[in-house]
Amino acid sequence: MLVALVAAPLAIPASAAEYERLLNGTFDSGSADPWWASAGVTNRVTGGELCASVTGGTTNPWDALVGQNGVPFETDQSYTLSFDARATTAQTVAAAAGESVSPYRGIARQEFALTPEKQRFTFTFTSTLDFPDAGNGQVAFQLGGQAADNTICVDNVSLVGGVKPPGGVNPNPTRKVQVDQVGYVPGLPKRATLVSTATTPQPWTLKNSAGAVVASGQSTPKGADVTSGDSVHLIDFSSFDTAGTGYTLSVGEDTSFPFDISADAIKRLRYDSLAFFYHQRSGTPIEAQYVGEEYSRPAGHVNVAPNQGDNNVPCRADLACGYTLDVRGGWYDAGDHGKYVVNGGISAWQLLNAYERASRIGDATAYRDGSLAIPEKSNGVPDLLDEARWEVDFLLKMQAPDGMAHHKIHDANWTALPTRPELDDQPRRLSATSTAATLNLAAVAAQASRLWRGVDATYSATLLSAARKAYTAAKANPAKLADPNDGTGGGAYSDDTVTDEFYWAASELYATTGEAAFRTDVAGSPHYKAASLNRGGFHWGGTAPLGDITLALVPTGLPAADVTAIKSAFATVADQHLTAMAGMGYATPYDNSTAGYVWGSNSTVLNNATVLALAHDFTGAAKYRDGVFEALHYLLGRNPLSTSYVAGYGEQAMVNAHHRFWAHQNDPTLPIAPPGSLSGGPNSALQDPVAQRLLAGCPQQKCWVDDIGAYSVNEVAINWNSALAWVSGWAAEKSGQPPTPVADCEVTYTANKWQGGLSAHVALKNTGTTAWTSWKLGFTFPGTQKVSSGWSANWSQSGADVTATNMSWNGKVEAGKSVYIGFNASGGGADPAAFTINGKSCKTS
Ligand code: 9MR
């Protein structure tokens, strides 16, 4: 066997002193992260400087500190610390290098006399301690020991020195055989990636859960894959198509994570991805009966202290708008507590579009009343509409008296991690109105008006008049752009091009009303007929394709040829994706040629999967459907990090999302992200300090780490989960019908629940005509339940999946008889809804 060894060239700088060892020394992003302040000191970034307000009256210089931890130092290496600094009142401060934990050994310390005039200071020293991997090294400014309050500002803080190249590793161990850890749907292609530098085909084997080889074959060498940094082979095991759980794929000694051949997981993900939105609801308690105890919490931002509330929110002081708005409700955007009309718009639209597409050309019964665990689950309205309405109502509330919509409402300052929503004590402020936000409102309200016509005519009319008012206001203010630097306390979501939002809004208004004026705007737009649809897809700032999708799905008075042109543009771009994917080590519809992997890249993958899905809808070609599933395989584990980016799905799934409530990594009493939450994904621009520290030099598809602090790669967000909900709902619809229940079994499940646990009795009845000689019960917990002990069966649990097999004495069950078993479990959540016995679905009672 010929093995090609690839030596990675190491970039050694001309002199070791070029290595910058501090993160965020320029404060250019507006954030102080990862600089911390001790008690009595408040850090603020203003005008690009870090300004520390220091309370007076302390004794020692080290009684008031600003510092950064995790700074690497190597023994006997030289370091130079330099910084700009000034003090409102002249004061001597010290800069110190040392250890961040007990016994707090020092490396070096020097005092500097600060004046109101900004000066640059430099200090060179040799390290006496060794923290080569950014462990317990620290740089701190000692600001205490002065009588009166003072403000000290620093900027351009830099520490250079040492010889070890910076960088780190992703802590998730990787496998060499990369598969979708969740599952492959029967009847569809099944592909995996092998990491190997071998230049010849490698033999692979597929084993079932009992370890028996069920298929084998040879890999196809593909060579170096730049985007992942891996040398790869492709493995295609599509010819094996027997449904089952716990398969593994092996090459030599290397074995994949286990996976299923089944449509069950994608059918669960359709709902778990939507459950995310209930969890993110603002202004209402999140109730244990829908999400389980650990995810329940009181209402956030309803004016109960310490919240300052959303029911009477003024504009930012510099705007002096002269009114306040009641903007309770909506979804929190992401890991923060901001609510942004621009991003809320595309998120609500994607949920509503999933429903509208399913009603016209798919299966809308999937979203029927009772399909989701939400308070509105038996109000007679499809649950997907109920969930979307939570946000649409909020969007309406953001409309100012003049018809324009405020761009966003969020905290005046960033809060720390963790901060539960009901404990956020920051003032809430409305930013200025913007053209982009106003058009988001117009588009979504017009779309929603169409969908509520037969459901709630009054609401439908309210929506349409809000949409008209917004569209008129936007035309009167066509270039009111949001401030790109308005990133304190919330994201900027600025967008300097709004022709796409005009096209989207006009398309929705035209599809809803059929009025000529809107049609003129649609047909006159530079975006008409999918002119701007390309492999870049769409996102919160580029929304023209949303208009195209509506015009392709909803019958209007547009010429048939124009609608055909829109549909064929989807097929053309889908073909471009498939061509590109054929050359990739880890096939994914993503174009990295201009900007690499960007913030939220996983949502781009999903939005491009939407283009593929619609190409399949419009043409019927199977290749596009297969492309959608390839995208899901990438997200669920067939990637160079052997990681599923969807919490709760797969053996090695994302856990430590950047989120202020699901902040388990920072506070073990708080939960992790609930199942079905999507991580933002690889971001080769490394736009946060943790990612910068851990991932320097990463190949694009590996620029991700499962760390709560790494917000530019591991946050969750409504517009990313809405993309997941759209695609997983589509994929579930294309995954065939559930296995036909064979009515020779019936399961009765009764649980006694208390906070943090339950005890369940399960009766298995043989309703057939012949005796069972053995049995195996299977079900899935919808919540966080974990079996702790059981009786009258051998119980086991893997992830949320539970199986119970008979004991020697109760395997035989005569026709018409029952066997009674049970278990105790920790955790909580809804009761399992579906049961199988010996692989067949049972009736429940
Ligand atoms: O999704 C947004 C991404 O496209 C931007 O590059 C990034 C930086 O501006 O902001 C992302 O959105 C964040 C928002 O600003 C604040 N809430 C969390 C969002 C997801 O990270």
Side-chain angles (χ1 to χ4, degrees), residues 2-359:
L2 186 69
V3 178
L5 286 178
V6 184
L10 262 188
I12 309 259
S15 120
E18 284 174 25
Y19 290 130
E20 174 59 58
R21 303 299 183 175
L22 292 177
L23 297 174
N24 190 23
T26 63
F27 312 104
D28 286 348
S29 67
S31 157
D33 248 23
W35 294 90
W36 47 260
S38 68
V41 181
T42 308
N43 274 345
R44 285 262 143 78
V45 176
T46 45
E49 295 178 308
L50 177 75
C51 291
S53 308
V54 184
T55 309
T58 54
T59 315
N60 305 301
W62 50 87
D63 290 339
L65 300 167
V66 165
Q68 181 171 135
N69 293 346
V71 181
F73 286 110
E74 295 160 81
T75 318
D76 295 335
Q77 293 301 322
S78 170
Y79 293 86
T80 298
L81 178 69
S82 47
F83 54 95
D84 301 334
R86 63 189 177 88
T88 303
T89 307
Q91 184 190 328
T92 296
V93 304
E99 189 173 22
S100 61
V101 295
S102 177
Y104 305 106
R105 290 170 294 173
I107 294 174
R109 179 178 185 277
Q110 184 151 317
E111 296 192 342
F112 301 93
L114 308 195
T115 64
E117 201 62 28
K118 192 197 301 194
Q119 303 173 68
R120 182 133 194 101
F121 300 99
T122 299
F123 160 38
T124 297
F125 56 89
T126 299
S127 178
T128 49
L129 298 177
D130 201 37
F131 305 115
D133 293 317
N136 294 329
Q138 178 186 85
V139 164
F141 293 102
Q142 301 178 346
L143 313 176
Q146 94 290 14
D149 293 358
N150 202 2
T151 299
I152 287 145
C153 300
V154 295
D155 195 5
N156 300 316
V157 191
S158 159
L159 177 76
V160 288
V163 291
K164 197 169 174 213
V169 289
N170 192 309
N172 271 2
T174 52
R175 297 271 166 122
K176 292 226 157 43
V177 186
Q178 318 279 25
V179 296
D180 180 331
Q181 297 163 25
V182 175
Y184 294 84
V185 169
L188 297 185
K190 301 172 195 72
R191 297 190 188 115
T193 297
L194 167 69
V195 180
S196 168
T197 51
T199 52
T200 54
Q202 301 294 298
W204 56 262
T205 53
L206 178 68
K207 296 190 184 118
N208 66 16
S209 57
V213 175
V214 292
S216 58
Q218 297 278 322
S219 68
T220 308
K222 285 280 176 186
D225 178 55
V226 176
T227 313
S228 64
D230 289 343
S231 283
V232 299
H233 292 212
L234 299 189
I235 294 176
D236 192 328
F237 58 104
S238 307
S239 55
F240 184 80
D241 206 35
T242 308
T245 59
Y247 288 105
T248 51
L249 190 60
S250 302
V251 176
E253 297 294 294
D254 294 305
T255 297
S256 71
F257 281 112
F259 58 89
D260 298 346
I261 297 181
S262 162
D264 291 355
I266 192 72
K267 289 181 176 176
R268 274 207 311 279
L269 185 55
R270 156 160 69 191
Y271 299 118
D272 282 348
S273 58
L274 287 169
F276 176 88
F277 294 90
Y278 176 65
H279 283 278
Q280 289 290 100
R281 285 191 192 184
S282 176
T284 188
I286 303 307
E287 296 183 50
Q289 59 174 310
Y290 307 117
V291 295
E293 282 299 331
E294 68 177 314
Y295 289 105
S296 66
R297 56 174 174 80
H301 301 95
V302 285
N303 292 52
V304 174
N307 275 175
Q308 304 208 28
D310 285 358
N311 64 354
N312 208 12
V313 181
C315 296
R316 271 183 4 205
D318 54 314
L319 301 174
C321 65
Y323 53 78
T324 62
L325 293 181
D326 176 351
V327 291
R328 281 174 292 181
W331 301 313
Y332 296 122
D333 188 57
D336 61 325
H337 298 139
K339 300 189 292 191
Y340 311 86
V341 170
V342 162
N343 204 43
I346 187 171
S347 309
W349 183 93
Q350 280 188 305
L351 297 197
L352 292 173
N353 183 259
Y355 181 81
E356 185 162 44
R357 177 207 156 273
S359 341

Side-chain angles (χ1 to χ4, degrees), residues 204-548:
W204 56 262
T205 53
L206 178 68
K207 296 190 184 118
N208 66 16
S209 57
V213 175
V214 292
S216 58
Q218 297 278 322
S219 68
T220 308
K222 285 280 176 186
D225 178 55
V226 176
T227 313
S228 64
D230 289 343
S231 283
V232 299
H233 292 212
L234 299 189
I235 294 176
D236 192 328
F237 58 104
S238 307
S239 55
F240 184 80
D241 206 35
T242 308
T245 59
Y247 288 105
T248 51
L249 190 60
S250 302
V251 176
E253 297 294 294
D254 294 305
T255 297
S256 71
F257 281 112
F259 58 89
D260 298 346
I261 297 181
S262 162
D264 291 355
I266 192 72
K267 289 181 176 176
R268 274 207 311 279
L269 185 55
R270 156 160 69 191
Y271 299 118
D272 282 348
S273 58
L274 287 169
F276 176 88
F277 294 90
Y278 176 65
H279 283 278
Q280 289 290 100
R281 285 191 192 184
S282 176
T284 188
I286 303 307
E287 296 183 50
Q289 59 174 310
Y290 307 117
V291 295
E293 282 299 331
E294 68 177 314
Y295 289 105
S296 66
R297 56 174 174 80
H301 301 95
V302 285
N303 292 52
V304 174
N307 275 175
Q308 304 208 28
D310 285 358
N311 64 354
N312 208 12
V313 181
C315 296
R316 271 183 4 205
D318 54 314
L319 301 174
C321 65
Y323 53 78
T324 62
L325 293 181
D326 176 351
V327 291
R328 281 174 292 181
W331 301 313
Y332 296 122
D333 188 57
D336 61 325
H337 298 139
K339 300 189 292 191
Y340 311 86
V341 170
V342 162
N343 204 43
I346 187 171
S347 309
W349 183 93
Q350 280 188 305
L351 297 197
L352 292 173
N353 183 259
Y355 181 81
E356 185 162 44
R357 177 207 156 273
S359 341
R360 292 188 177 278
I361 55 173
D363 172 21
T365 64
Y367 302 121
R368 68 191 170 275
D369 198 27
S371 57
L372 296 178
I374 55 174
E376 303 82 4
K377 67 180 179 181
S378 49
N379 65 354
V381 175
D383 282 344
L384 188 47
L385 294 186
D386 286 325
E387 190 55 69
R389 184 171 177 164
W390 192 262
E391 182 71 3
V392 175
D393 283 345
F394 160 74
L395 298 177
L396 294 180
K397 291 177 175 180
M398 291 291 280
Q399 192 164 28
D402 65 357
M404 294 289 283
H406 286 273
H407 199 68
K408 52 183 190 162
I409 177 252
H410 59 68
D411 291 339
N413 289 292
W414 287 107
T415 55
L417 282 166
T419 297
R420 297 173 61 105
E422 75 277 15
L423 299 182
D424 172 9
D425 63 1
Q426 281 294 309
R428 306 278 279 176
R429 292 290 177 265
L430 293 165
S431 293
T433 58
S434 71
T435 311
T438 306
L439 291 167
N440 268 261
L441 170 62
V444 175
Q447 174 202 32
S449 170
R450 196 162 69 229
L451 294 171
W452 262 274
R453 246 181 221 146
V455 175
D456 179 341
T458 313
Y459 185 53
S460 171
T462 304
L463 288 163
L464 186 55
S465 73
R468 287 182 189 280
K469 190 173 173 187
Y471 190 72
T472 307
K475 282 192 126 183
N477 299 276
K480 194 162 184 229
L481 303 181
D483 176 0
N485 298 315
D486 180 10
T488 303
Y493 279 120
S494 62
D495 181 0
D496 57 9
T497 309
V498 293
T499 54
D500 51 329
E501 280 81 13
F502 268 110
Y503 176 66
W504 174 31
S507 301
E508 296 298 346
L509 278 156
Y510 178 55
T512 300
T513 65
E515 289 170 16
F518 296 125
R519 177 183 166 150
T520 305
D521 288 356
V522 167
S525 164
H527 301 283
Y528 186 44
K529 289 192 280 181
S532 43
L533 183 70
N534 57 36
R535 282 185 64 219
F538 54 88
H539 72 295
W540 60 263
T543 56
L546 308 185
D548 295 319

